[in-house]
Amino acid sequence: MESAIMNVSCSCAASATPRTGHEASVPFSLRNVLVAVDPLADQHPCIDKAVRLAVRYGSAIELFICDTDQSLHEGGGSALAAYEHRQQARLRRLEMLEGLAGPLRAAGLNVSTAAAWNSSLATGITEHALRTSVDLVVKDAHRHLPAPMWATSHTDPNLIREVPSALLLVHPNNWSSTPKLAVAVDPCHPVERSPQLDGRLMEVARSLSTRLAGSLEVVHVVGTPPHLPDVAVTDEARAAAEAKALVEVRALLGTADVECPIHLEHGPVAKTLLSFTARHHPNILVIGAPARPRRDELLAGGAAAQLLDHVDCDLLVIKQPGFVSSLLITD
C-alpha cells in the first residue's frame, strides 16, 4: 500500500488552458443557512461559524433542533398523548433556540427557529433541509463507531449521503482571522465522478476564501498507474501519471479563474488527505461527495465519510450537481 510520501507544490496562473469537460460553475451563494443545534451541548461552534458566514454572505439563519427521544414517540401509549408530549417538548426546544437567537438578532442578523421530532436525526435534518430549500447545513461533527456500523447507525455519514445542499461539519477549533481553505479535487477520473463536481468544488472554495478573506490551496491524490498485482509501479509510470494529473488540475484552476498552490499527493485517498491536513493545517477542507447507488452505503459518502473520525479540521461536503436525495425517491 502506498503512503503519502510525495508532494508537489506550484502556483497555477489563471490563464492555464482548460480542457473540454471543465465548465465554469454557477456562482456560489448562501441565502439560507440551516444550523442543526445539539440541545444537550454547552457550546455550539456550529452557530458561531454559521454566523461568520452569514455576516459575509448576508444569509438568513435558521436554528433547528431535531429531537430523537423515543419517549416523545411513545407518549404513554396513545397517539394523542404522544402528540401532546411532542408538542410540549417542541415548545421547550423553541424556547432554548430563542434564547440563542436573541443576541444574534440584536446584532442585526436574520434568525428564525424551528424544532421537530424524528426517530432518525439524519432523516429529520435532511427532511427539514429539503422542505426549506437551504443552501448550507451546518452541524457540529461527532466521532463515530468503526465500520460497518457507522453507515447505518450514525448521523454525519448519513447526512453526507442524503443532504442535497452543502454540508459543513465543524469542530470546536476556531477559524483564524484569515482562514486557510484546502479543496480536494479529482479531475482525472471523469468516469467515476462528473467533471461538474470539481468545477463546483472550485467555485465554492474560491467564493469562501474570498468572502472570508482567507487563503486557498488545491490538493489532488494521484491515482496509481495501471499495473499487475505482483508488479511494482515504475518511477517512470508514476512520473507520467503525476505530469498528466498536473495538466488536468491546472486546466481545472484555469477554468475556475483561480491562482493558488497545487499539492499532488500519492496514496489511498482518505488516508492521504488525512496526512495532508495534518501537515498543512487547513481550517476547512472542501471535498466532494459523488453520487453512488444507495446499496453502496459504506462508499456513499466517499472519502468525506471516511475522514470523519480522524480529521481535525472542518469538512465542507459538496454534492455532485443534479444530486437527488434518496428521501425523495419513492420507487
Side-chain angles (χ1 to χ4, degrees):
M1 183 175 293
E2 296 175 283
S3 60
I5 58 174
M6 183 175 295
N7 173 270
V8 176
S9 297
C10 62
S11 293
C12 172
S15 59
T17 303
R19 294 177 73 249
T20 301
H22 296 312
E23 295 86 3
S25 183
V26 176
F28 180 63
S29 65
L30 280 182
R31 297 175 299 263
N32 300 292
V33 177
L34 176 65
V35 184
V37 176
D38 182 351
L40 303 180
D42 296 323
Q43 302 294 324
H44 304 285
C46 55
I47 296 179
D48 299 335
K49 292 174 180 180
V51 165
R52 188 160 173 184
L53 291 171
V55 169
R56 294 292 185 172
Y57 280 89
S59 316
I61 295 175
E62 182 173 57
L63 304 180
F64 175 66
I65 289 177
C66 178
D67 258 315
T68 58
D69 185 351
Q70 189 63 23
S71 68
L72 299 179
H73 174 64
E74 296 167 352
S78 72
L80 178 59
Y83 172 79
E84 292 176 345
H85 195 190
R86 287 197 297 270
Q87 286 298 101
Q88 292 172 3
R90 178 175 173 274
L91 292 175
R92 289 196 300 271
R93 297 309 192 199
L94 287 173
E95 182 179 3
M96 172 192 168
L97 291 174
E98 285 297 313
L100 295 170
L104 305 181
R105 292 176 183 141
L109 292 170
N110 179 3
V111 183
S112 59
T113 60
W117 180 90
N118 198 293
S119 59
S120 164
L121 181 57
T123 299
I125 293 172
T126 302
E127 288 180 345
H128 193 77
L130 289 167
R131 282 194 300 269
T132 54
S133 300
V134 298
D135 302 299
L136 174 68
V137 175
V138 186
K139 179 186 174 294
D140 293 336
H142 294 111
R143 302 297 183 186
H144 307 87
L145 295 175
M149 292 190 62
W150 69 337
T152 56
S153 302
H154 297 280
T155 300
D156 293 352
N158 291 339
L159 289 174
I160 290 175
R161 189 178 69 233
E162 299 293 356
V163 169
S165 68
L167 172 66
L168 179 61
L169 298 169
V170 305
H171 293 279
N173 314 351
N174 292 325
W175 292 343
S176 66
S177 58
T178 55
K180 183 177 181 179
L181 284 81
V183 54
V185 300
D186 186 15
C188 300
H189 298 90
V191 174
E192 298 178 15
R193 62 190 254 162
S194 168
Q196 292 180 318
L197 177 55
D198 285 312
R200 190 60 180 162
L201 289 169
M202 288 305 309
E203 169 55 27
V204 171
R206 182 200 62 77
S207 175
L208 285 171
S209 63
T210 300
R211 295 292 183 110
L212 295 173
S215 62
L216 177 61
E217 298 180 0
V218 169
V219 57
H220 169 61
V221 180
V222 181
T224 303
H227 63 288
L228 296 173
D230 56 346
V231 177
V233 178
T234 65
D235 291 340
E236 292 79 6
R238 195 185 304 276
E242 188 170 286
K244 179 178 183 296
L246 186 57
V247 170
E248 295 282 357
V249 175
R250 281 177 166 165
L252 176 65
L253 268 65
T255 302
D257 195 23
V258 170
E259 184 176 354
C260 69
I262 298 172
H263 302 274
L264 299 182
E265 305 271 338
H266 292 269
V269 175
K271 183 178 179 180
T272 303
L273 290 177
L274 178 63
S275 173
F276 172 84
T277 60
R279 287 182 282 112
H280 293 272
H281 308 289
N283 295 113
I284 306 170
L285 176 64
V286 184
I287 189 167
R292 295 183 186 272
R294 186 173 176 81
R295 64 180 178 274
D296 297 334
E297 289 190 340
L298 287 175
L299 300 175
Q306 297 175 54
L307 286 169
L308 280 175
D309 288 329
H310 310 288
V311 73
D312 290 325
C313 66
D314 297 343
L315 284 180
L316 178 59
V317 183
I318 305 299
K319 286 290 173 38
Q320 189 164 297
F323 170 85
V324 177
S325 173
S326 67
L327 297 185
L328 295 176
I329 301 174
T330 57
D331 58 356

